[in-house]
Amino acid sequence: AVHEGQVVSAQELTGLLQPLFTQNSRNLVLFLQDRLSIDDFTYFSESYGNKNPFQNEILQSSPSSLVLPAVDCKATRYLLSFLQESGDWKLTNVTNLNVSQLEVNASNPNLLVVQLQPLTSNLKEISTLEAIAENDKIIGRVTMDLQERGIHFSVIYTAMRPSRISRRTDVVAESRRKLMAAEEEDSSSYPPLNVTTGNSTCILFYASNFSLKANSSVLIDLTNATFLAQNVDTSASECSDSNTTLSLKYTKPVNGINSLEIRFLMTNKFYEVSARKWSTLGSVVIVQDGEKFAEFNVFGISAPAEYSSHCQLVGTSNLYPARLVPSNSEAKNWNVFISKLQIQGFNIINNQFSYASDCTGFFTPGIWMGLVISIILLWILTYGIHMIMQLTTNNRFDDPKGPALSVPQTE
């Protein structure tokens, strides 16, 4: 029995999953999403009426089921590695979602891992609804195909982190602020991507959101594949004392794109003006299917060679403090969005980021606008006071009983 407010720990989850390892037919299908909460099932079902995205009756048709309202993020984050260590599974990554071509030997334990498309948090709720509905169709196709083939299996549908965080309304403000800060930190507390040469780390890369959009229509969210599932190939990365290239290769990130490679090119140069070396992210290259090269010039991302570079927002939009400017015609077909970027390609110590140099300058556009307006208002005030000080009064007045007052032209 799971009571309200209980968060299942990693140890408790291990005990609850033990029946999967002791039953006769040990075929397990793991559906992994980037974020999901138990509240999503009721929220999207009630808010959109007949557009309920959860159409599969997996729980109703199952002879037994277990629903956990809240599971510790650390437990779900390492669920795949835990399952692999718990038995002699034959691991199969279902990428093309065509399980009819899979060779499943029911006599041996099989672990099928299906990576569902991510739910990008920057889109509207209707887009999230559509993404969940598409994932629900994928779950339906996979489970129906296995049932038609007479294969007995168990299903786990979970995510790497929660999409909704419930907060108590009866706590004090100070406790609520601490709770929100802890939840925000835990929701994105995955380690950075590291590239090693020999026994040392030469590149560290982190982002809370790493997304691309091709031709202003096809959204590609690479956050889950890069940092959580780590379905990325970094073998083509290169490191040296003066030039470093971070190469991220993805296989079939979305339908219609067979391969996608993203390269971050960094340089380390000595500048006489500052009398020190600076590391600079000079350009970003996107290679689609090994043929289409989209190159961007990067402005605003640099740091002393001993530091790492950090930017809150990086992308092709003019509103971002660090911009990716297209340098060829192919780059105009891509939109890039990276939030909370931190990257370091030189002088990495103890496999950790060094002190971060933020790309946001001291004088932001808002500060410049405030200074200019303040100067204009101060000038108007000074001019007004100066004009008031120039006012003078007459020192002689006309007497109606005497002769008329004559004022010479010289006065």
Side-chain angles (χ1 to χ4, degrees), residues 269-288:
K269 295 182 179 180
F270 180 82
Y271 292 88
E272 296 181 355
V273 176
S274 59
R276 69 182 307 169
K277 288 186 176 182
W278 286 75
S279 62
T280 305
L281 178 60
S283 61
V284 175
V285 179
I286 301 176
V287 184
Q288 178 184 346

Side-chain angles (χ1 to χ4, degrees), residues 140-399:
R141 288 199 299 267
V142 174
T143 54
M144 186 62 67
D145 191 282
L146 293 176
Q147 288 177 354
E148 292 177 353
R149 297 169 63 179
I151 299 176
H152 298 280
F153 59 92
S154 301
V155 173
I156 297 179
Y157 180 30
T158 185
M160 295 296 184
R161 58 183 184 271
S163 60
R164 301 176 184 275
I165 301 175
S166 59
R167 300 183 177 92
R168 292 175 53 188
T169 58
D170 57 343
V171 295
V172 296
E174 182 179 0
S175 299
R176 182 164 55 249
R177 285 195 298 267
K178 293 181 180 179
L179 177 63
M180 293 172 62
E183 288 168 346
E184 182 180 359
E185 180 181 359
D186 186 67
S187 64
S188 59
S189 59
Y190 45 79
L193 177 70
N194 63 77
V195 178
T196 60
T197 55
N199 297 326
S200 61
T201 301
C202 64
I203 303 176
L204 288 174
F205 175 67
Y206 175 85
S208 63
N209 193 335
F210 184 23
S211 305
L212 308 176
K213 183 174 287 188
N215 300 319
S216 301
S217 59
V218 181
L219 178 66
I220 309 173
D221 192 334
L222 302 175
T223 309
N224 182 48
T226 305
F227 303 104
L228 297 175
Q230 294 187 355
N231 294 330
V232 57
D233 181 13
T234 61
S235 59
S237 301
E238 300 178 355
C239 299
S240 68
D241 295 335
S242 57
N243 295 280
T244 296
T245 301
L246 172 61
S247 174
L248 306 175
K249 293 182 179 180
Y250 306 89
T251 302
K252 292 184 178 180
V254 293
N255 294 332
I257 299 180
N258 294 324
S259 65
L260 186 68
E261 181 183 3
I262 304 174
R263 303 171 186 166
F264 295 85
L265 285 75
M266 294 172 283
T267 59
N268 187 20
K269 295 182 179 180
F270 180 82
Y271 292 88
E272 296 181 355
V273 176
S274 59
R276 69 182 307 169
K277 288 186 176 182
W278 286 75
S279 62
T280 305
L281 178 60
S283 61
V284 175
V285 179
I286 301 176
V287 184
Q288 178 184 346
D289 298 330
E291 299 177 352
K292 300 179 181 180
F293 286 77
E295 186 173 355
F296 300 86
N297 294 325
V298 184
F299 295 95
I301 303 181
S302 61
E306 299 82 8
Y307 295 170
S308 63
S309 299
H310 175 269
C311 285
Q312 190 70 16
L313 292 175
V314 180
T316 51
S317 174
N318 297 330
L319 303 177
Y320 298 159
R323 287 196 58 205
L324 303 182
V325 180
S327 61
N328 60 2
S329 58
E330 185 65 29
K332 297 179 181 179
N333 299 326
W334 291 89
N335 292 327
V336 183
F337 173 76
I338 307 176
S339 63
K340 296 183 180 179
L341 167 70
Q342 188 169 2
I343 189 170
Q344 184 174 357
F346 307 96
N347 303 316
I348 298 176
I349 301 175
N350 297 328
N351 299 332
Q352 294 180 350
F353 279 116
S354 302
Y355 177 83
S357 176
D358 202 90
C359 64
T360 303
F362 179 78
F363 285 99
T364 62
I367 294 177
W368 278 114
M369 183 178 296
L371 287 175
V372 171
I373 293 177
S374 299
I375 292 174
I376 293 175
L377 294 176
L378 183 61
W379 180 83
I380 294 174
L381 178 62
T382 304
Y383 179 77
I385 294 175
H386 176 74
M387 295 300 295
I388 292 176
M389 293 177 63
Q390 297 301 317
L391 295 177
T392 59
T393 58
N394 295 333
N395 56 1
R396 289 183 293 176
F397 298 93
D398 192 9
D399 186 3

Side-chain angles (χ1 to χ4, degrees), residues 92-105:
T92 305
N93 290 303
V94 184
T95 55
N96 56 3
L97 302 178
N98 188 4
V99 295
S100 60
Q101 299 179 357
L102 291 176
E103 297 180 359
V104 180
N105 187 0

Side-chain angles (χ1 to χ4, degrees), residues 30-36 94 97 113-119 131-132 134-140 142 156-158 221 224 253:
L30 176 61
F31 293 100
L32 272 179
Q33 206 163 269
D34 61 335
R35 54 189 180 90
L36 180 71
V94 184
L97 302 178
V113 180
V114 181
Q115 293 285 348
L116 301 176
Q117 66 174 346
L119 312 180
I132 293 179
E134 183 63 27
N135 289 341
D136 189 70
K137 294 179 182 178
I138 294 173
I139 295 174
V142 174
I156 297 179
Y157 180 30
T158 185
D221 192 334
N224 182 48

